[in-house]
Amino acid sequence: MTSPGRTERLVLPGVLTAEQAAATVAGIVATQRTDGAIPWFRGHHLDPWDHTEAAMALDAAGEHDRAEAAYDWLVRHQNQDGSWYAAYADGDAAAPTDRGRETNFCAYLAVGAWHHYLSTGDETFLDRMWPAVHAAIEYVLELQQPGGEIGWKREDDGTPVRDALLTGSSSVYQALRCALAMAEQREEPQPDWELALGRLGHAIRHHPERFLDKSRYSMDWYYPVLGGAVRGTAARERIDADWDRFVVPGLGVRCVVPNPWVTGGESAELALALWAMGESDRAVTVLKWIQHLRADNGMYWTGYVFEDQAIWPRELTSWTAGSLLLAVAALGGDEATTAVFGGERLPVGLAPDCCR
């Protein structure tokens, strides 16, 4: 089991003790395959986004070798066009179960790779990751639409799905900023990426009509804040406007309105967004609420149906545990995590022509 001494920044009164944090990290470690893959849980599928989120949690816990193994898995199994498939059975690269290639899944390696570099200072790692990150971002930007939004995915046959998701585009926004930070560190300017970032941020902030209407989903509510496109007064106004719609006091955050189902992942991500807004007290409160989802082995149940008072589904996911650990790491001042999710030192892109 991970030593409690390595999880000192993952201690948060009322949420995690050092021993509890170590048990949660050990749960993610136990889920990871020997080749570095981190599926949702053993026997279930891996998707590249959640795989990366779990790897970031390992870095926040000091498990740098295991996090690096997770990123190396992505590099080894990247498709020739810079993408990854949306799902692999139990993390087996030879057994993709969804051959769609989703843009936010593919872009997220940049967030994880930059987080790992900030956690370790390993320039060799950054050099090794750069070709994969570059190829992934180029793949993603091929699906940027004239209005700045990012098309959702390509089908298995290569057909582009040009409809854009606000949550996915907000995640890509964060990934682009991290990719540009990598480019700056390597002194390899990417002016086209800067322009793409500016156009994407403008679409997220000012043109909700350019995205599919998924307003029933809490992720569309908080992800523009979590991804860094919306901050300051606009972020507070956005969160406050729908707080009562999505938040169930004492239990957590609904995944979808009006379903009576709160989820650990959405709740922890909201807490991380609240921290990024400067509302740490409210973030801690949300994290305390979801301790009813903690299992005896230190992992977290995906969700809870409060009308039935039932855990559902009966699964303990690596990404739920990872999202909670990252929120706690940010609140605890972990430098890499605060830099990636606080975003103060990340590039902001160039304003689109309409806004110059």
Side-chain angles (χ1 to χ4, degrees), residues 69-304:
Y71 297 126
D72 284 338
W73 186 93
L74 288 171
V75 171
R76 290 197 306 274
H77 302 301
Q78 189 173 29
N79 295 323
Q80 289 188 349
D81 64 358
S83 70
W84 291 270
Y85 296 124
Y88 301 83
D90 196 31
D92 183 352
T97 56
D98 182 345
R99 290 179 174 269
R101 288 161 282 162
E102 299 186 19
T103 47
N104 68 301
F105 282 13
C106 298
Y108 210 58
L109 171 62
V111 180
W114 184 241
H115 182 261
H116 182 82
Y117 170 72
L118 294 177
S119 297
T120 63
D122 187 346
E123 295 280 355
T124 300
F125 169 84
L126 201 68
D127 291 342
R128 193 167 74 251
M129 290 294 114
W130 176 246
V133 168
H134 189 278
I137 295 299
E138 290 290 302
Y139 166 80
V140 168
L141 292 183
E142 286 179 0
L143 282 169
Q144 187 166 36
Q145 303 305 300
E149 70 276 19
I150 305 293
W152 177 24
K153 66 176 181 178
R154 287 188 185 273
E155 302 286 11
D156 183 24
D157 64 1
T159 302
V161 178
R162 302 189 186 281
D163 292 333
L165 301 173
L166 180 58
T167 294
S169 286
S170 296
S171 178
V172 171
Y173 181 86
Q174 182 188 26
L176 265 173
R177 296 180 76 192
C178 290
L180 281 166
M182 292 179 68
E184 286 186 2
Q185 182 65 27
R186 292 175 50 79
E187 298 183 351
E188 294 190 28
Q190 303 292 324
D192 289 346
W193 294 5
E194 293 184 70
L195 288 167
L197 177 64
R199 293 169 57 217
L200 176 56
H202 180 76
I204 292 169
R205 286 187 287 270
H206 301 294
H207 290 283
E209 76 282 358
R210 294 178 183 170
F211 301 91
L212 293 176
D213 183 5
K214 301 289 183 180
S215 56
R216 293 176 56 230
Y217 291 80
S218 61
M219 294 179 79
D220 263 26
W221 166 51
Y222 65 75
Y223 241 89
V225 179
L226 180 59
V230 177
R231 290 288 166 90
T233 300
R236 289 190 293 275
E237 290 175 350
R238 182 181 188 89
I239 295 302
D240 289 344
D242 278 331
W243 183 268
D244 292 338
R245 185 167 175 246
F246 288 112
V247 173
V248 183
L251 293 178
V253 177
R254 294 178 193 257
C255 179
V256 187
V257 169
N259 297 0
W261 183 46
V262 296
T263 54
E266 274 83 349
S267 299
E269 288 182 341
L270 173 63
L272 193 50
L274 289 168
W275 165 83
M277 289 165 47
E279 297 200 17
S280 295
D281 290 346
R282 195 153 46 151
V284 172
T285 296
V286 173
L287 294 179
K288 288 179 177 177
W289 287 344
I290 58 173
Q291 294 315 301
H292 68 99
L293 295 175
R294 186 177 176 87
D296 291 340
N297 67 353
M299 296 295 279
Y300 287 79
W301 299 106
T302 297
Y304 177 74

Side-chain angles (χ1 to χ4, degrees), residues 24-33 36-42 44-58 90 264-265 268 297-302 315-326:
T24 302
V25 174
I28 298 175
V29 167
T31 303
Q32 188 174 31
R33 291 164 43 118
I38 310 176
W40 284 21
F41 52 89
R42 293 311 305 268
H44 199 57
H45 75 252
L46 171 153
D47 74 70
W49 199 101
D50 289 312
H51 165 91
T52 298
E53 183 171 48
M56 292 171 68
L58 291 176
D90 196 31
N297 67 353
M299 296 295 279
Y300 287 79
W301 299 106
T302 297
E315 60 184 32
L316 298 165
T317 42
S318 57
W319 50 268
T320 299
S323 63
L324 180 129
L325 292 175
L326 287 172

